[in-house]
Amino acid sequence: MPAARPVIRLTDRSPSISGAEMTAELVPPAQFAHASFESYRPDPDYPSQAEAVAALHEFAGVWRAQRPGGFFSRNRRPKASLPGIYLDGGFGVGKTHLLAALWHEAPGRKYFGTFIEYTALVGALGYAQTVKLLTGTGLICIDEFELDDPGDTMLMTRLLGELMATGTMVAATSNTPPNALGEGRFAASDFLREIQALSANFRTIRIDGLDYRRRDVEGSAVAVDDAGLDRMVTSLAERGERVSCDDFDALMEHLATVHPSKYVKVVADLDVIAIRDAHVLHNQTDALRLVAFIDRVYDAEIPVLASGHPLSEVFDDEMLAGGYRKKYLRSTSRLIALTTGELPPHD
């Protein structure tokens, strides 16, 4: 029987992280570690899914042709017709799977991250250093390109413009909200309008279909009472699990002192995260900070236990009706999955 482990406090973790460490984390999440075009299963009722696979094969053709011994291996290397590709579709049609499959196809230096991860990189390193670090990259994949913050959108457009000018190829998906059927379902026109300086460099691929997860997006995150939380945390620690337990307010205060780029190290090596006395948030800065934190927890596939208010209901009505609605809806869906054990399956 494994030895009992001490319960960890996330509030005790104030990690440092270098640019090299940050970029090392820019890879597909664990559930897409082996994603491929072959393992994607197009729905025959939606031909655009198979068409998307074919378009991505074509986009990746430039790399296959450049491999040693290939037909185009010397003076006949083809060039992609456009250096950018944008996957536009509803929630759960496999955009992230296809984006990860494209990343796996690319040779050499390449990065895969969410929009928030790239803006966090710029925030931590500064714009000039980020450009320097990413220059020479063959492919940058951006999952869930966000359009709700004009400043961040302009920042990313400028960054991508500089990198594409040096030969970097870019692939992106939209951040269609998970439980807003029909609302902003297709975001291509918004994407192209907001990155107008780069829009001519992108081919848009529309992917129709149903959510393959068939998740109950109207559910709620699981919450237990404090005594129940204590029992579960103690039991997990006694079984040798690496479990953390923090008061919700203390955790929120601590996250305010840690740059979001470092959240990945705050949750590193944990098996379970427990949060006590959750409650509704009314400060948007705190709410957006929680969204960024939950993104890292979700990517790391760490189950969450919580007491107090259900975590999927901590964003107040004003937030859910405001400009960051998409972020909160996505986080709500993830909090339901994290607390109910409905994490995405591995490929």
Side-chain angles (χ1 to χ4, degrees):
M1 183 174 180
R5 291 178 180 270
V7 175
I8 298 161
R9 304 288 182 191
L10 297 183
T11 51
D12 292 336
R13 293 184 166 190
S14 297
S16 61
I17 189 166
S18 66
E21 287 177 312
M22 291 176 68
T23 52
E25 294 291 337
L26 291 175
V27 296
Q31 64 265 34
F32 298 109
H34 304 289
S36 67
F37 295 137
E38 291 70 28
S39 62
Y40 179 79
R41 297 289 180 262
D43 187 332
D45 291 334
Y46 296 93
S48 61
Q49 294 187 11
E51 291 166 5
V53 175
L56 288 168
H57 263 296
E58 180 183 340
F59 188 78
V62 63
W63 301 315
R64 289 192 294 272
Q66 290 175 3
R67 289 171 183 160
F71 180 70
F72 294 99
S73 58
R74 292 191 178 181
N75 297 326
R76 304 182 65 181
R77 293 181 180 179
K79 294 183 178 179
S81 56
L82 290 175
I85 194 163
Y86 175 76
L87 306 182
D88 179 37
F91 183 69
V93 296
K95 300 189 303 297
T96 301
H97 180 121
L98 290 174
L99 192 68
L102 181 66
W103 184 91
H104 287 299
E105 283 282 320
R109 192 151 61 97
K110 54 192 176 180
Y111 298 111
F112 182 110
T114 63
F115 183 91
I116 290 176
E117 286 179 287
Y118 288 109
T119 55
L121 184 68
V122 176
L125 301 182
Y127 182 83
Q129 184 60 30
T130 301
V131 172
K132 182 179 180 180
L133 187 67
L134 297 182
T135 295
T137 301
L139 174 69
I140 287 181
C141 292
I142 307 170
D143 200 20
E144 300 170 350
F145 199 104
E146 300 193 351
L147 305 171
D148 47 18
D149 187 312
D152 282 347
T153 302
M154 290 177 62
L155 174 73
M156 282 298 293
T157 300
R158 179 186 170 198
L159 176 65
L160 294 179
E162 292 202 38
L163 296 174
M164 294 174 88
T166 65
T168 296
M169 298 172 72
V170 175
T173 72
S174 63
N175 65 333
T176 303
N179 48 347
L181 298 179
E183 177 190 329
R185 186 170 177 80
F186 296 101
S189 59
D190 294 332
F191 174 78
L192 296 174
R193 182 184 67 248
E194 296 298 328
I195 65 156
Q196 53 186 302
L198 294 178
S199 60
N201 293 318
F202 278 85
R203 176 183 178 184
T204 299
I205 305 298
R206 177 166 171 164
I207 309 175
D208 298 281
L210 300 174
D211 180 357
Y212 76 92
R213 302 174 184 87
R214 308 296 195 270
R215 186 187 301 162
D216 180 11
V217 295
E218 298 301 326
S220 179
V222 173
V224 299
D225 59 28
D226 287 343
L229 186 74
D230 289 340
R231 286 194 298 271
M232 287 187 281
V233 168
T234 299
S235 176
L236 288 165
E238 289 176 346
R239 284 173 13 205
E241 300 283 340
R242 293 164 296 190
V243 56
S244 69
C245 186
D246 295 88
D247 289 338
F248 185 71
D249 283 336
L251 178 60
M252 294 306 302
E253 289 178 12
H254 182 63
L255 292 178
T257 71
V258 180
H259 192 278
S261 63
K262 301 176 183 178
Y263 290 172
V264 66
K265 294 187 77 171
V266 171
V267 302
D269 302 320
L270 291 175
D271 295 314
V272 180
I273 290 172
I275 300 173
R276 181 192 298 276
D277 294 330
H279 59 79
V280 177
L281 294 171
H282 301 289
N283 181 290
Q284 186 137 260
T285 300
D286 286 342
L288 292 173
R289 198 173 282 126
L290 179 62
V291 168
F293 176 73
I294 293 303
D295 282 345
R296 301 289 73 75
V297 175
Y298 186 81
D299 286 345
E301 299 183 299
I302 304 171
V304 174
L305 306 173
S307 69
H309 209 73
L311 285 171
S312 58
E313 300 171 20
V314 299
F315 307 116
D316 71 19
D317 292 341
E318 185 175 350
M319 293 175 190
L320 292 176
Y324 295 108
R325 172 177 169 80
K326 288 185 178 182
K327 280 189 174 78
Y328 297 134
L329 289 174
R330 185 188 71 232
S331 194
T332 294
S333 175
R334 292 182 168 187
L335 284 162
I336 293 171
L338 290 167
T339 62
T340 59
E342 295 180 5
L343 289 166
H346 289 273
D347 288 312

